[in-house]
Each structure stands twice: as C-alpha cells, then as structure tokens.
C-alpha cells in the first residue's frame, strides 16, 4: 500500500489520456488547457478521456481499462447516438462493461429538465431519450453528468483525479 505522501507525489504525475478520435478544435484546446495537467493522445478502447500516473518504481498505472469519460456536445448528439449510431454506441459501452470499467457520460449544454421537456432539436421523443439515458445507467457502470462546455476540462480532470486517488489509496 502506498503511503499518503507517496499517493500525493504520484498524483502530481497525473496525465490525462485523450482519445485520438477527439477532434483538435479551438474548444478542444480550451478544454485541455482547463485541465491544468499534461495530456497524451492515444487510442482508447472506449470513451474519450482516461488517465495514468507514474508510480514510485517508475511504472505506469493507467485507468484506461478501468475508468473513462465519454463526452457529448449536447442532447442532439446523444439523441443521434441512441438513434442513428446506436449499434456503435452500444458496442463502446459493452466494451467498457466487459472490461469491468466505470464510464462517465458527460453531456454539455444540457440538463435533466431539457431532456424531460424535449428542449433539443432532435425528433427523438423526450420519454424515449429519458428511457435510453436511464437504461444506460442500469445496464452499464455509468454516471451521467450535465455541464456547460467551459466546465468540461475541469470536470474531466477532477473525475480522473478522484478516481485515481481512490485506487492509489488502496493500491497493493
């Protein structure tokens, strides 16, 4: 088990892994800058973000098969995932489930009230969207977080930092 001082030192090496399919737009660059930690682009089996640290012995300890964050720009994008891209989206979450991973679904520009009121452009019925979101919570080790785009980078870093800290505190 790592000593609390070692845990803190190891957490200082936190690097966020960014999936290579994330497009390097202006908002992407702002998101990464808001994280305030180093980032590394590499292909993830599921999700858009994960993280790794360097242990005291110099080896890498990665969350990429354990914890991931899937980011969506808004309700229209998630509606598309549940309708036109459902097979691909389901396969991604099945890969996470089969790996025993926890996955956060971070949806920007959205709230539960917008979901329930149908406050989005997609023709997907609000009750169908609500059912799909809650089905994902029930089927997969998934948590849904709604946020504003300017908070995404900070939230990604905080989620991964806390998930890493929990694991390091019980690391054998």
């Amino acid at each position: 088990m790592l000593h609390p001082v070692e845990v803190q030192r190891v957490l200082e090496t936190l690097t966020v892994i960014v999936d290579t399919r994330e497009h390097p737009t202006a908002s992407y660059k702002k998101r990464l800058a808001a994280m305030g930690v180093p980032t590394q682009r590499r292909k993830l089996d599921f999700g858009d973000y994960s993280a790794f640290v360097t242990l005291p012995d110099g080896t890498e300890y990665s969350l990429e098969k354990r914890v991931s964050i899937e980011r969506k720009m808004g309700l229209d994008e998630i509606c598309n995932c549940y309708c036109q891209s459902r097979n691909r989206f389901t396969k991604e979450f099945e890969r996470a489930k089969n790996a025993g991973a926890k996955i956060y679904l971070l949806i920007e520009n959205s709230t539960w009230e917008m979901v329930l009121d149908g406050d989005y452009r997609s023709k997907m019925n609000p009750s169908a969207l609500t059912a799909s979101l809650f089905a994902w919570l029930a089927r997969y080790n998934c948590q849904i977080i709604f946020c504003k785009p300017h908070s995404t980078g900070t939230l990604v870093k905080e989620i991964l930092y806390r998930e890493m800290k929990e694991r390091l505190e019980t690391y054998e």
Side-chain angles (χ1 to χ4, degrees):
M1 187 174 294
L2 293 175
H3 186 277
V5 173
E6 285 180 306
V7 169
Q8 198 53 48
R9 258 190 256 127
V10 169
L11 285 169
E12 290 170 9
T13 71
L14 184 81
T15 300
V16 172
I17 303 167
V18 183
D19 187 70
T20 53
R21 292 166 290 197
E22 276 283 271
H23 301 291
T25 61
S27 58
Y28 163 90
K29 291 173 184 165
K30 286 180 188 173
R31 205 167 29 254
L32 296 190
M35 291 179 196
V37 295
T39 61
Q40 183 181 103
R41 285 180 65 87
R42 65 187 191 210
K43 184 183 178 303
L44 292 171
D45 291 338
F46 46 84
D48 298 316
Y49 301 95
S50 194
F52 69 88
V53 292
T54 303
L55 296 173
D57 66 3
T59 60
E60 180 182 291
Y61 178 77
S62 178
L63 294 179
E64 67 188 280
K65 304 282 189 211
R66 298 172 178 96
V67 177
S68 188
I69 301 169
E70 175 72 19
R71 183 189 68 85
K72 298 299 175 197
M73 293 183 288
L75 294 178
D76 290 316
E77 186 177 8
I78 197 71
C79 287
N80 182 63
C81 291
Y82 287 133
C83 294
Q84 291 86 349
S85 304
R86 192 173 187 99
N87 286 341
R88 181 201 55 79
F89 196 57
T90 300
K91 285 178 185 173
E92 184 166 9
F93 276 79
E94 285 294 327
R95 284 193 301 275
K97 182 179 180 177
N98 292 338
K102 181 178 191 176
I103 191 159
Y104 289 84
L105 182 54
L106 193 78
I107 307 172
E108 299 173 335
N109 300 302
S110 307
T111 64
W112 279 112
E113 291 72 22
M114 292 170 71
V115 171
L116 297 170
D117 295 340
D119 189 10
Y120 46 88
R121 290 187 317 253
S122 171
K123 289 188 166 90
M124 187 175 190
N125 185 291
S127 61
L129 177 56
T130 301
S132 290
L133 288 167
F134 280 108
W136 249 240
L137 292 175
R139 277 183 207 145
Y140 307 106
N141 192 3
C142 176
Q143 295 195 27
I144 297 172
I145 298 175
F146 294 111
C147 69
K148 300 284 185 194
H150 70 272
S151 303
T152 301
T154 302
L155 291 173
V156 166
K157 187 251 183 178
E158 285 299 317
I159 290 166
L160 295 171
Y161 181 92
R162 297 297 162 198
E163 288 284 351
M164 184 66 79
K165 186 174 189 288
E166 288 296 314
R167 283 159 179 77
L168 290 174
E169 288 174 345
T170 58
Y171 184 77
E172 298 290 329

